[in-house]
Amino acid sequence: SEVSGESVELIVFAAASLTETLNAIAETYSAQNPGVTFRFNFDSSGTLKTQIQEGADCDLFLSASPKQMDQLETESHSLLPESRIDLLENQVVLVTPKENEKNVDSFDSLAEHLRAGDILLAMGNSDVPAGQYAEKILSWYGLDMRELESRGLITYGSNVKEVSAQVSEGSADAGIIYSTDAFSAGLPVLDRASEEMCGKVVYPASVLKSSGRQKEAQDFLDFLSGPKAQAVFERIGFSMAE
C-alpha cells in the first residue's frame, strides 16, 4: 500500500541457505506490493554479522543461527528488539552418495562405522554452524573429534555446500548437512538428528535499528512468517519455528 507509487528498495542480509527461497518469495512480494524492490546480500551468517557491525547499510537480517543475532543485540545494539522473531527451523540430516556402498542407514550406523574406522565422513569445519552441529552429534555418541581426525575418518568443508558436493561426487561415504541442502543437492536423507543430539536449528530474523525503512522491512518480515512464504520455505525442507 505504497502512497502514490513511491518506490522503496529493501536491503536484506540473509544466510546463504536462504538464497533460493528468498529470491522466489521476494518476487511474489514485489508483484503484490508494486514499488518495493530488494537488494539481497547472501553470505555466511558470521560474515554478514561483521558487515553489519562495521556499518553496512542493511534493513533486515536473517541468520542461520541465534548466535550472530545475539551478538548484534548485545555487542552493538543493532537490532530493533521488538521485531526479532524465530522465523524458521532447519534439521541436521545424514546423507550418503546414491550408491551408499557402506550401507549407512542412520546416525547409529554412522557411529558404528566411525568406531570401526571404515568410513570417510564429510562435515562442516568448526567455524560454520553445520560443523558445530555435526560435532555435537559425534560427541553425543561419545566419539572424539581429534581421534577421528587422526585416524583419517573426517573430511571438512568450509561451508555446507562443499560438504554436499563431496557427498554428491562420492569422494566421501557420508555427510552431515541440513535437510534444505539435501533437498537442493537431490541427496536422499537417511536420518534426522533429534533435538537431544544437537539442539534446535533456529533461523532468527530482525529489522535493524539503523534502517531508514523500518516499517517496510517489518511488513516484509510479517509476510515471511505468513502462510504464503512459509509454503515456499517448507517446499525445500524448512519448518515453521515453534
Side-chain angles (χ1 to χ4, degrees):
S1 58
E2 289 298 319
V3 190
S4 69
E6 195 185 324
S7 64
V8 173
E9 183 184 57
L10 287 177
I11 301 170
V12 180
F13 281 30
S17 46
L18 295 168
T19 307
E20 297 91 343
T21 43
L22 279 184
N23 278 315
I25 291 166
E27 241 172 76
T28 307
Y29 191 80
S30 293
Q32 288 180 8
N33 299 272
V36 181
T37 56
F38 293 89
R39 178 146 43 103
F40 286 113
N41 179 15
F42 293 108
D43 211 322
S44 79
S45 304
T47 302
L48 297 172
K49 179 212 74 147
T50 304
Q51 290 172 356
I52 291 169
Q53 286 183 317
E54 286 170 356
D57 198 8
C58 171
D59 300 308
L60 180 65
F61 178 41
L62 289 82
S63 170
S65 117
K67 182 178 147 189
Q68 291 78 16
M69 206 57 94
D70 294 343
Q71 287 168 333
L72 285 175
E73 192 147 26
T74 57
E75 292 169 12
S76 46
H77 310 293
S78 312
L79 308 182
L80 200 61
E82 61 276 18
S83 78
R84 179 176 173 171
I85 57 167
D86 285 343
L87 182 65
L88 298 167
E89 275 178 37
N90 211 334
Q91 275 189 313
V92 179
V93 301
L94 174 67
V95 291
T96 64
K98 295 213 164 59
E99 300 71 66
N100 189 7
E101 283 163 15
K102 302 284 185 218
N103 297 316
V104 182
D105 61 2
S106 63
F107 280 112
D108 288 357
S109 83
L110 171 69
E112 280 167 33
H113 279 288
L114 287 168
R115 287 192 190 100
D118 64 358
I119 199 167
L120 182 62
L121 170 68
M123 58 182 267
N125 64 32
S126 58
D127 294 345
V128 298
Q132 293 153 14
Y133 290 119
E135 278 181 27
K136 282 183 187 167
I137 292 167
L138 296 176
S139 73
W140 189 77
Y141 280 105
L143 293 159
D144 181 299
M145 285 306 303
R146 282 195 192 80
E147 190 203 329
L148 295 175
E149 274 175 28
S150 67
R151 292 166 69 198
L153 305 177
I154 304 276
T155 171
Y156 290 103
S158 60
N159 60 48
V160 78
K161 298 276 184 233
E162 277 180 24
V163 180
S164 302
Q166 290 174 358
V167 177
S168 294
E169 69 203 16
S171 61
D173 301 309
I176 299 177
I177 59 176
Y178 298 121
S179 64
T180 51
D181 297 296
F183 179 89
S184 308
L187 289 165
V189 168
L190 301 169
D191 200 1
R192 298 170 183 276
S194 64
E195 198 179 324
E196 195 185 1
M197 288 158 80
C198 67
K200 269 189 181 181
V201 185
V202 172
Y203 282 53
S206 181
V207 177
L208 293 181
K209 232 185 238 168
S210 59
S211 166
R213 297 164 285 268
Q214 287 180 356
K215 186 194 176 302
E216 292 86 354
Q218 183 66 58
D219 288 346
F220 181 57
L221 181 51
D222 292 344
F223 183 78
L224 289 177
S225 50
K228 254 191 187 143
Q230 289 290 333
V232 178
F233 288 126
E234 280 165 13
R235 264 208 302 279
I236 75 153
F238 282 109
S239 55
M240 288 266 346
E242 296 291 305

Coordinates of all heavy atoms in Angstrom, one line a residue, residues 14-17 43-49 61-69 71 90-93 122-138 145 156-161 163 176-178 180-181 193 197-204 238:
A14 N 21.1 -12.1 4.3 CA 20.5 -13.3 4.7 C 21.5 -14.5 4.5 O 22.3 -14.5 3.6 CB 19.3 -13.6 3.8
A15 N 21.4 -15.5 5.4 CA 22.2 -16.7 5.4 C 22.1 -17.3 4.0 O 21.1 -17.3 3.4 CB 21.8 -17.6 6.4
A16 N 23.3 -17.8 3.5 CA 23.3 -18.3 2.1 C 22.3 -19.4 1.9 O 21.8 -19.6 0.8 CB 24.8 -18.9 1.9
S17 N 22.0 -20.2 2.9 CA 21.0 -21.3 2.7 C 19.6 -20.8 2.4 O 18.7 -21.6 2.1 CB 21.0 -22.2 4.0 OG 20.9 -21.4 5.2
D43 N 25.4 -14.5 2.4 CA 26.7 -15.0 2.8 C 26.5 -15.8 4.0 O 25.4 -16.0 4.5 CB 27.6 -13.8 3.0 CG 29.1 -14.1 2.7 OD1 29.5 -15.2 3.0 OD2 29.7 -13.2 2.1
S44 N 27.7 -16.2 4.6 CA 27.6 -16.9 5.9 C 27.1 -15.9 7.0 O 27.5 -14.7 6.9 CB 28.9 -17.5 6.3 OG 29.8 -16.5 6.8
S45 N 26.4 -16.4 8.0 CA 25.8 -15.5 9.0 C 26.9 -14.7 9.7 O 26.7 -13.6 10.1 CB 25.0 -16.4 10.0 OG 24.0 -17.1 9.3
G46 N 28.1 -15.4 10.0 CA 29.1 -14.7 10.7 C 29.7 -13.5 9.9 O 29.9 -12.4 10.4
T47 N 29.8 -13.7 8.6 CA 30.3 -12.6 7.7 C 29.3 -11.5 7.7 O 29.7 -10.3 7.7 CB 30.5 -13.2 6.3 OG1 31.5 -14.3 6.3 CG2 31.1 -12.1 5.3
L48 N 28.1 -11.8 7.5 CA 27.0 -10.8 7.5 C 27.0 -10.0 8.8 O 26.9 -8.8 8.8 CB 25.6 -11.4 7.2 CG 25.5 -12.1 5.9 CD1 24.2 -12.9 5.8 CD2 25.6 -11.1 4.7
K49 N 27.1 -10.7 9.9 CA 27.1 -10.0 11.2 C 28.2 -9.0 11.3 O 28.0 -7.9 11.7 CB 27.2 -11.1 12.3 CG 27.2 -10.5 13.7 CD 28.1 -11.2 14.7 CE 29.6 -11.0 14.4 NZ 30.4 -11.0 15.7
F61 N 17.9 -8.5 8.7 CA 18.9 -9.6 8.8 C 18.2 -10.9 9.1 O 17.4 -11.0 10.0 CB 19.9 -9.2 9.8 CG 21.0 -10.2 10.1 CD1 21.6 -10.9 9.0 CD2 21.5 -10.5 11.3 CE1 22.6 -11.8 9.2 CE2 22.5 -11.5 11.6 CZ 23.1 -12.1 10.5
L62 N 18.6 -11.9 8.3 CA 18.1 -13.3 8.6 C 19.3 -14.2 8.8 O 20.1 -14.3 7.9 CB 17.3 -13.8 7.4 CG 15.9 -13.2 7.2 CD1 16.0 -11.9 6.5 CD2 15.0 -14.2 6.4
S63 N 19.5 -14.7 10.0 CA 20.7 -15.5 10.3 C 20.3 -17.0 10.4 O 19.2 -17.4 10.7 CB 21.2 -15.0 11.7 OG 22.2 -15.9 12.2
A64 N 21.4 -17.8 10.2 CA 21.1 -19.3 10.2 C 21.3 -19.8 11.6 O 21.2 -21.0 11.9 CB 22.1 -20.0 9.3
S65 N 21.7 -18.9 12.6 CA 21.8 -19.4 13.9 C 21.6 -18.2 14.9 O 21.9 -17.1 14.5 CB 23.1 -20.1 14.2 OG 23.9 -19.5 15.1
P66 N 21.1 -18.4 16.1 CA 20.8 -17.3 17.0 C 22.1 -16.6 17.5 O 22.0 -15.4 17.9 CB 20.1 -18.0 18.2 CG 19.6 -19.3 17.7 CD 20.5 -19.7 16.6
K67 N 23.2 -17.3 17.4 CA 24.5 -16.7 17.9 C 24.8 -15.3 17.4 O 25.0 -14.4 18.1 CB 25.6 -17.7 17.6 CG 27.0 -17.3 18.2 CD 28.0 -18.4 17.9 CE 29.3 -17.7 17.6 NZ 30.3 -18.7 17.1
Q68 N 24.7 -15.2 16.0 CA 25.1 -14.0 15.4 C 24.0 -12.9 15.7 O 24.4 -11.7 15.9 CB 25.1 -14.1 13.9 CG 26.3 -15.0 13.4 CD 26.1 -16.5 13.5 OE1 24.9 -17.0 13.8 NE2 27.1 -17.2 13.5
M69 N 22.8 -13.3 15.8 CA 21.7 -12.3 16.2 C 21.9 -11.8 17.6 O 21.8 -10.7 17.9 CB 20.4 -13.0 16.0 CG 19.2 -12.1 15.7 SD 19.3 -11.1 14.3 CE 18.6 -12.0 13.0
Q71 N 24.7 -11.7 19.2 CA 25.9 -10.8 19.3 C 25.5 -9.4 18.8 O 26.0 -8.4 19.4 CB 27.0 -11.3 18.4 CG 27.7 -12.6 19.0 CD 28.6 -13.3 18.0 OE1 28.4 -13.3 16.8 NE2 29.6 -14.0 18.6
N90 N 15.5 -25.5 10.7 CA 16.1 -26.4 9.7 C 16.3 -27.7 10.5 O 16.2 -27.8 11.7 CB 17.3 -25.9 9.1 CG 17.6 -26.3 7.7 OD1 17.1 -27.4 7.3 ND2 18.3 -25.5 7.0
Q91 N 16.7 -28.8 9.8 CA 17.1 -30.0 10.5 C 18.5 -30.5 10.0 O 18.8 -30.3 8.9 CB 16.1 -31.1 10.2 CG 14.9 -31.0 11.2 CD 14.0 -32.2 11.0 OE1 13.7 -32.7 9.9 NE2 13.6 -32.8 12.1
V92 N 19.2 -31.0 11.0 CA 20.5 -31.6 10.6 C 20.3 -33.1 10.2 O 19.6 -33.8 10.9 CB 21.5 -31.5 11.8 CG1 22.8 -32.2 11.5 CG2 21.7 -30.1 12.3
V93 N 20.8 -33.4 9.0 CA 20.5 -34.8 8.5 C 21.7 -35.5 8.0 O 22.8 -34.9 7.8 CB 19.5 -34.7 7.3 CG1 18.2 -34.0 7.7 CG2 20.1 -33.9 6.1
A122 N 32.1 -36.5 5.7 CA 32.2 -35.1 5.3 C 31.4 -34.3 6.3 O 30.2 -34.6 6.5 CB 31.9 -34.9 3.9
M123 N 31.9 -33.2 6.8 CA 31.2 -32.3 7.7 C 31.8 -30.9 7.6 O 32.8 -30.7 7.0 CB 31.2 -32.8 9.1 CG 32.6 -32.9 9.7 SD 32.6 -33.6 11.4 CE 32.6 -32.0 12.3
G124 N 31.0 -29.9 8.1 CA 31.5 -28.6 8.1 C 32.6 -28.4 9.1 O 32.6 -29.1 10.1
N125 N 33.5 -27.5 8.8 CA 34.6 -27.2 9.9 C 34.0 -26.5 11.0 O 32.8 -26.0 11.0 CB 35.8 -26.6 9.3 CG 35.5 -25.2 8.7 OD1 34.6 -24.5 9.3 ND2 36.2 -24.7 7.7
S126 N 34.8 -26.3 12.1 CA 34.2 -25.8 13.4 C 33.8 -24.3 13.3 O 33.2 -23.8 14.2 CB 35.2 -26.0 14.5 OG 36.4 -25.4 14.2
D127 N 34.2 -23.6 12.2 CA 33.7 -22.2 12.0 C 32.3 -22.1 11.6 O 31.7 -21.0 11.7 CB 34.6 -21.5 10.9 CG 36.1 -21.4 11.3 OD1 36.3 -21.6 12.5 OD2 36.9 -21.1 10.5
V128 N 31.7 -23.1 11.0 CA 30.4 -23.0 10.5 C 29.4 -23.7 11.3 O 29.7 -24.8 11.9 CB 30.3 -23.4 9.0 CG1 31.2 -22.6 8.1 CG2 30.7 -24.9 8.8
P129 N 28.1 -23.1 11.5 CA 27.2 -23.8 12.3 C 26.9 -25.3 12.0 O 26.9 -26.1 12.9 CB 25.9 -23.0 12.1 CG 26.4 -21.6 11.7 CD 27.7 -21.8 11.0
A130 N 26.9 -25.6 10.7 CA 26.7 -27.0 10.3 C 27.8 -27.9 10.9 O 27.5 -29.1 11.3 CB 26.6 -27.2 8.8
G131 N 29.0 -27.4 11.0 CA 30.1 -28.2 11.5 C 29.9 -28.3 13.0 O 30.2 -29.4 13.6
Q132 N 29.5 -27.2 13.7 CA 29.3 -27.3 15.1 C 28.2 -28.3 15.5 O 28.3 -29.0 16.5 CB 28.9 -25.8 15.6 CG 30.1 -24.9 15.5 CD 29.7 -23.4 15.3 OE1 28.6 -23.0 15.6 NE2 30.7 -22.6 14.9
Y133 N 27.1 -28.3 14.7 CA 26.0 -29.3 15.0 C 26.6 -30.7 14.8 O 26.2 -31.6 15.6 CB 24.8 -29.1 14.0 CG 24.0 -27.8 14.3 CD1 23.9 -26.8 13.4 CD2 23.4 -27.6 15.6 CE1 23.2 -25.6 13.6 CE2 22.7 -26.4 15.8 CZ 22.6 -25.4 14.9 OH 21.9 -24.3 15.1
A134 N 27.4 -30.9 13.7 CA 27.9 -32.2 13.5 C 28.8 -32.7 14.6 O 28.7 -33.9 15.1 CB 28.7 -32.3 12.2
E135 N 29.6 -31.8 15.2 CA 30.5 -32.1 16.3 C 29.6 -32.5 17.5 O 30.0 -33.4 18.2 CB 31.3 -30.9 16.7 CG 32.6 -30.8 15.8 CD 33.5 -29.6 16.2 OE1 33.4 -29.2 17.4 OE2 34.2 -29.1 15.3
K136 N 28.5 -31.8 17.7 CA 27.7 -32.1 18.9 C 27.1 -33.5 18.7 O 27.0 -34.3 19.7 CB 26.5 -31.1 19.0 CG 26.9 -29.8 19.6 CD 25.6 -28.9 19.7 CE 26.0 -27.5 20.2 NZ 24.9 -26.6 20.0
I137 N 26.7 -33.9 17.5 CA 26.2 -35.2 17.3 C 27.2 -36.3 17.5 O 27.0 -37.3 18.2 CB 25.6 -35.4 15.8 CG1 24.4 -34.5 15.6 CG2 25.3 -36.8 15.5 CD1 24.0 -34.3 14.1
L138 N 28.4 -36.1 17.0 CA 29.5 -37.1 17.2 C 29.8 -37.2 18.7 O 30.0 -38.3 19.2 CB 30.7 -36.7 16.4 CG 30.5 -36.7 14.9 CD1 31.8 -36.3 14.2 CD2 30.1 -38.1 14.4
M145 N 36.5 -36.1 18.4 CA 36.9 -35.5 17.1 C 38.4 -35.6 16.7 O 38.7 -36.0 15.6 CB 36.6 -33.9 17.1 CG 35.1 -33.6 17.0 SD 34.3 -34.3 15.6 CE 35.3 -33.7 14.2
Y156 N 36.7 -32.1 5.8 CA 35.9 -30.9 6.1 C 35.6 -30.1 4.9 O 36.3 -30.1 3.9 CB 36.8 -30.0 7.1 CG 36.9 -30.6 8.4 CD1 38.1 -31.2 8.8 CD2 35.9 -30.6 9.3 CE1 38.2 -31.7 10.1 CE2 36.0 -31.1 10.6 CZ 37.2 -31.7 11.0 OH 37.3 -32.2 12.3
G157 N 34.4 -29.4 5.0 CA 34.1 -28.4 4.0 C 34.0 -27.0 4.7 O 33.7 -27.0 5.9
S158 N 34.4 -25.9 4.0 CA 34.3 -24.6 4.7 C 32.9 -24.0 4.7 O 32.7 -23.0 5.3 CB 35.3 -23.7 4.1 OG 35.0 -23.5 2.7
N159 N 32.0 -24.7 4.0 CA 30.6 -24.4 4.1 C 29.8 -25.6 3.8 O 30.3 -26.6 3.3 CB 30.2 -23.2 3.3 CG 30.4 -23.4 1.8 OD1 30.1 -24.5 1.3 ND2 31.1 -22.5 1.2
V160 N 28.5 -25.5 4.0 CA 27.7 -26.7 3.9 C 27.5 -27.2 2.4 O 27.4 -28.4 2.2 CB 26.4 -26.5 4.7 CG1 25.4 -25.7 3.9 CG2 25.7 -27.8 5.1
K161 N 27.6 -26.2 1.5 CA 27.5 -26.6 0.1 C 28.7 -27.5 -0.3 O 28.6 -28.4 -1.1 CB 27.5 -25.4 -0.8 CG 26.3 -24.5 -0.6 CD 25.0 -24.9 -1.4 CE 23.9 -24.0 -1.2 NZ 22.6 -24.6 -0.8
V163 N 30.3 -29.5 1.6 CA 30.0 -30.9 2.2 C 29.1 -31.6 1.3 O 29.3 -32.8 0.9 CB 29.5 -30.8 3.6 CG1 29.2 -32.2 4.2 CG2 30.4 -30.0 4.5
I176 N 27.1 -34.9 6.9 CA 26.1 -34.3 7.8 C 25.9 -32.8 7.3 O 26.8 -32.0 7.3 CB 26.7 -34.3 9.3 CG1 26.9 -35.7 9.7 CG2 25.7 -33.6 10.2 CD1 27.5 -35.8 11.2
I177 N 24.6 -32.6 6.9 CA 24.2 -31.3 6.3 C 22.8 -31.0 6.8 O 22.3 -31.7 7.7 CB 24.3 -31.3 4.7 CG1 23.3 -32.4 4.2 CG2 25.7 -31.6 4.3 CD1 23.3 -32.5 2.7
Y178 N 22.2 -29.9 6.2 CA 20.9 -29.6 6.6 C 19.9 -30.2 5.6 O 20.2 -30.5 4.5 CB 20.6 -28.1 6.5 CG 21.5 -27.3 7.5 CD1 22.4 -26.3 7.0 CD2 21.4 -27.4 8.9 CE1 23.1 -25.5 7.9 CE2 22.2 -26.7 9.7 CZ 23.0 -25.7 9.2 OH 23.8 -25.0 10.1
T180 N 17.5 -28.9 4.1 CA 17.3 -28.0 2.9 C 18.5 -28.2 1.9 O 18.2 -28.2 0.7 CB 17.3 -26.5 3.3 OG1 18.5 -26.3 4.1 CG2 16.1 -26.2 4.1
D181 N 19.7 -28.4 2.3 CA 20.8 -28.7 1.4 C 20.7 -30.0 0.7 O 21.0 -30.2 -0.4 CB 22.1 -28.6 2.1 CG 22.4 -27.2 2.7 OD1 22.5 -26.3 1.9 OD2 22.4 -27.1 4.0
A193 N 18.7 -35.7 12.8 CA 19.2 -35.6 14.2 C 18.1 -35.0 15.1 O 17.4 -34.1 14.8 CB 20.4 -34.7 14.3
M197 N 20.2 -34.6 20.3 CA 21.6 -34.8 19.8 C 22.3 -33.5 19.5 O 23.5 -33.5 19.7 CB 21.5 -35.7 18.5 CG 21.1 -37.1 18.7 SD 20.4 -37.9 17.3 CE 21.8 -38.3 16.3
C198 N 21.6 -32.5 19.0 CA 22.4 -31.3 18.6 C 21.7 -30.0 18.9 O 22.1 -29.0 18.4 CB 22.8 -31.4 17.2 SG 21.5 -31.4 16.0
G199 N 20.5 -30.1 19.6 CA 19.8 -28.8 19.8 C 18.9 -28.5 18.6 O 18.9 -29.2 17.6
K200 N 18.2 -27.4 18.7 CA 17.4 -26.9 17.6 C 18.2 -26.1 16.6 O 19.1 -25.4 17.0 CB 16.3 -26.0 18.2 CG 15.0 -26.8 18.5 CD 13.9 -25.8 18.8 CE 12.7 -26.6 19.2 NZ 11.5 -25.9 19.5
V201 N 17.8 -26.1 15.4 CA 18.5 -25.3 14.4 C 17.5 -24.2 14.0 O 16.6 -24.4 13.2 CB 18.8 -26.1 13.1 CG1 19.6 -25.3 12.1 CG2 19.6 -27.4 13.5
V202 N 17.7 -23.0 14.6 CA 16.7 -21.9 14.5 C 17.3 -20.8 13.7 O 18.5 -20.5 13.9 CB 16.4 -21.4 15.9 CG1 15.5 -20.2 15.8 CG2 15.6 -22.5 16.7
Y203 N 16.5 -20.3 12.8 CA 16.9 -19.1 12.0 C 16.1 -17.9 12.5 O 14.9 -17.8 12.2 CB 16.5 -19.3 10.5 CG 17.4 -20.2 9.7 CD1 17.7 -21.5 10.1 CD2 17.9 -19.8 8.5 CE1 18.6 -22.3 9.4 CE2 18.7 -20.6 7.7 CZ 19.1 -21.9 8.2 OH 19.9 -22.7 7.4
P204 N 16.8 -17.0 13.2 CA 16.1 -15.8 13.6 C 16.1 -14.7 12.6 O 17.0 -14.7 11.7 CB 16.8 -15.4 14.9 CG 18.2 -16.0 14.8 CD 18.1 -17.1 13.8
F238 N 12.5 -26.5 5.1 CA 12.4 -25.8 6.4 C 11.1 -26.1 7.1 O 10.1 -26.6 6.4 CB 12.4 -24.3 6.1 CG 13.8 -23.7 5.8 CD1 14.1 -23.3 4.5 CD2 14.7 -23.6 6.8 CE1 15.3 -22.8 4.2 CE2 16.0 -23.1 6.5 CZ 16.3 -22.7 5.2

